[in-house]
Amino acid sequence: LSINTGSTPSHIEVPGAKENTLAVKPINEFLQGWDQLMQRAVQRKGDFKVVVVGAGAGGVEVALATQFHLQQLLHEKSLSADKLKFGIITGNTPVLSTHNKSIQKRFRRVLAEREVTIHKGIKAKRVSENVIELDNGETLETDAIIWATHASAPTWFKESGLAVDERGFIAVDDSLQSTSHQHVFAAGDVATVIDYPRPKSGVFAVRQGPPLYKNIRRALKDKKLKKHVPQISFLSLISTGDKCAIGSRGIFTFEGAWIWKLKDYIDREFMNKYNRLPEMQADIEPIQ
């Protein structure tokens, strides 16, 4: 068995968040809620406040892209974009906490330029309709809440009897094999490679595909499994919402429109793999 079902939004940990926020995952539900959010932003007469919970790469990208798109939408309808107010709740970590200090500084600058309020050092404790209760006793009133916090593990992993890490993700060794069940493999966000912990990111998930494939075949033939060591340094490209982007690799950072074009090219090529499917063989005999 090989498990790669993906993570779940962490709003399951905060009362009221599931019912009263727009989570970025799963994407089909986000798109439905996004259409409603746009409609409300256009129809609202006064200020329209949006708060993004989560200050990782996903939260920052979603906040800036959402802001840019809504500004363009209001402009097209000859409405003032000044009524848009944006904020980000960071929790107990800084903006882009898993990235280097330089990229954090660049994005603090961008967020300040875009007048996005950063609510630092506080967490969302409870959510009701248009209200976020914070763990410092304060409340935030808002018209829309987008949930983009860290990934969480589905509860059924632990309930299944599989070994899991302290956060509930499936524990695997460096061959992507479960540490408790010899014939179970796991990859992607659902898995934690115990000896090589890495952030929950697609850059690691996609590179686990080839070694996973090889090790499943080796396991079926009772051969020794191969070790897979995930990379430490990787290219990170984060959009600023306006067809510009900021990139980093190791200690180096860079930004500009050309970074966005590179990101757009990479993203489209990746998605095209799911759209441009190979032709099926026509000469395969049907099963009788």
Side-chain angles (χ1 to χ4, degrees), residues 40 95 136 271:
R40 288 191 289 122
V95 172
N136 65 352
M271 293 308 299

Side-chain angles (χ1 to χ4, degrees), residues 6-277:
S7 58
T8 61
S10 64
H11 58 46
I12 59 176
E13 304 167 2
V14 178
K18 185 175 182 180
E19 299 81 10
N20 298 294
T21 70
L22 179 58
V24 296
K25 290 183 179 181
I27 189 63
N28 61 312
E29 294 181 11
F30 174 81
L31 291 176
Q32 295 174 9
W34 170 243
D35 288 339
Q36 298 172 7
L37 190 153
M38 287 192 294
Q39 186 175 6
R40 288 191 289 122
V42 170
Q43 294 175 346
R44 181 66 181 260
K45 299 300 181 183
D47 289 347
F48 188 81
K49 300 177 182 178
V50 180
V51 173
V52 177
V53 182
V60 170
E61 255 193 342
V62 166
L64 292 172
T66 300
Q67 182 192 52
F68 181 76
H69 186 79
L70 290 179
Q71 288 173 341
Q72 297 294 104
L73 180 63
L74 292 174
H75 178 72
E76 291 172 3
K77 296 184 178 298
S78 300
L79 298 172
S80 173
D82 293 339
K83 69 177 184 177
L84 290 176
K85 309 295 180 183
F86 271 77
I88 293 180
I89 296 177
T90 69
N92 294 330
T93 58
V95 172
L96 296 167
S97 60
T98 61
H99 295 257
N100 65 43
K101 299 295 183 182
S102 177
I103 203 166
Q104 291 177 21
K105 182 179 179 180
R106 288 175 186 261
F107 268 99
R108 285 197 301 269
R109 186 205 77 226
V110 170
L111 291 169
E113 291 173 351
R114 308 288 172 81
E115 298 183 349
V116 177
T117 303
I118 302 176
H119 302 278
K120 297 182 292 185
I122 52 177
K123 288 185 176 181
K125 181 180 179 181
R126 185 182 302 274
V127 179
S128 56
E129 187 176 5
N130 298 333
V131 176
I132 304 173
E133 298 179 31
L134 305 172
D135 61 0
N136 65 352
E138 298 178 0
T139 59
L140 283 178
E141 294 186 4
T142 181
D143 297 290
I145 306 168
I146 298 178
W147 205 266
T149 57
H150 61 79
S152 292
T155 57
W156 70 265
F157 292 165
K158 187 174 183 179
E159 294 168 354
S160 71
L162 290 168
V164 296
D165 69 359
E166 66 279 0
R167 293 173 57 195
F169 293 99
I170 300 172
V172 298
D173 59 22
D174 52 26
S175 64
L176 304 178
Q177 186 181 51
S178 166
T179 58
S180 61
H181 291 70
Q182 181 181 0
H183 300 298
V184 177
F185 292 79
D189 282 359
V190 302
T192 294
V193 184
I194 296 301
D195 291 336
Y196 303 100
R198 297 289 188 271
K200 300 300 179 185
S201 170
V203 70
F204 300 110
V206 296
R207 294 192 180 187
Q208 288 177 338
L212 174 68
Y213 166 75
K214 292 176 182 177
N215 276 335
I216 290 175
R217 291 184 63 87
R218 296 185 73 85
L220 291 170
K221 297 177 180 179
D222 291 324
K223 291 185 177 182
K224 185 178 179 180
L225 304 184
K226 295 287 188 178
K227 183 177 181 179
H228 169 65
V229 179
Q231 74 274 28
I232 297 176
S233 177
F234 59 94
L235 178 65
S236 176
L237 305 174
I238 305 173
S239 172
T240 56
D242 55 350
K243 293 193 176 183
C244 285
I246 299 175
S248 69
R249 185 178 181 89
I251 64 173
F252 301 102
T253 59
F254 29 84
E255 65 179 289
W258 70 274
I259 302 296
W260 182 87
K261 290 180 180 178
L262 175 62
K263 175 180 171 59
D264 186 59
Y265 172 79
I266 293 173
D267 289 348
R268 289 181 185 276
E269 284 298 300
F270 179 76
M271 293 308 299
N272 281 337
K273 294 179 182 179
Y274 296 91
N275 296 325
R276 300 171 184 168
L277 302 178

